[in-house]
Amino acid sequence: MSLSAGFEGSEPIAEARLLARSFLADVQNIHGLRVSDRALDLVELVASELVTNTRKYAPGPSLLTLQVRDGCVDVTVWDSNPDMPTILPPDPTRVGQHGLEIIMASALTFQLHREPVGKRITASILLADDLATDAAGR
C-alpha cells in the first residue's frame, strides 16, 4: 500500500498532515492493519516536518510518499535540492531547528539518499507496538 502526492510549494503544510491521517485511516479501515494512536501522531508529525523543511530549504516541487511495508509506514519526501540537510546535535537552548532531531528520535530508521536530481529522505515509523496502545487498545 502506498500513496504519493506532489507539492508545488504553494499548498498549505496542513495538506501533508491530512494526507497522512487519511492514508493511515485507510490502512486501518480498508486493509485491516492495526495503527496505534502513537503511530498516527508520529506519521503526521514526520510528514509535516519533512514537507516543511522542503518548503524552507528546497524551493520548488517535492513529492511525499507514504508506503506500508514490514509493519511500518515509510514517510518519504523527495525534493530537487541536492544539498543534504544539516543535522544539528541536541541543544535544549536552541530555538527552532529541532525537526530532524525529533524525527530521528522517533523513527525506527532514518535515511538520506542523494538522487540523480535532488535528494530523498525516509523515516520509518512502526504502525503499532505494545508500548503504543491507548486505553481503548488501539
Side-chain angles (χ1 to χ4, degrees):
M1 290 167 273
S2 68
L3 177 68
S4 294
F7 291 86
E8 294 300 321
S10 61
E11 306 85 356
I13 301 298
E15 285 189 27
R17 293 190 295 271
L18 291 172
L19 185 72
R21 279 206 173 267
S22 175
F23 175 73
L24 289 179
D26 287 349
V27 165
Q28 188 159 302
N29 298 330
I30 295 171
H31 299 285
L33 294 176
R34 186 171 160 274
V35 178
S36 70
D37 289 343
R38 178 179 180 274
L40 185 62
D41 291 343
L42 283 175
V43 169
E44 183 178 13
L45 173 69
V46 169
S48 180
E49 287 292 332
L50 290 178
V51 170
T52 297
N53 284 352
T54 296
R55 183 76 48 86
K56 286 174 69 173
Y57 303 111
S62 62
L63 180 68
L64 169 65
T65 301
L66 304 163
Q67 181 178 18
V68 173
R69 63 171 191 81
D70 300 329
C72 294
V73 60
D74 289 345
V75 181
T76 302
V77 172
W78 167 89
D79 66 57
S80 60
N81 184 345
D83 296 336
M84 294 301 211
T86 301
I87 300 171
L88 302 173
D91 179 356
T93 63
R94 184 177 65 241
V95 176
Q97 296 186 322
H98 292 280
L100 289 178
E101 181 182 333
I102 292 167
I103 292 169
M104 291 173 62
S106 303
L108 186 62
T109 63
F110 179 81
Q111 301 172 4
L112 301 167
H113 295 279
R114 194 172 312 276
E115 298 289 329
V117 175
K119 67 182 165 300
R120 181 172 34 96
I121 300 174
T122 302
S124 296
I125 305 294
L126 284 173
L127 284 173
D129 57 45
D130 292 341
L131 300 175
T133 57
D134 62 10
R138 291 180 284 172

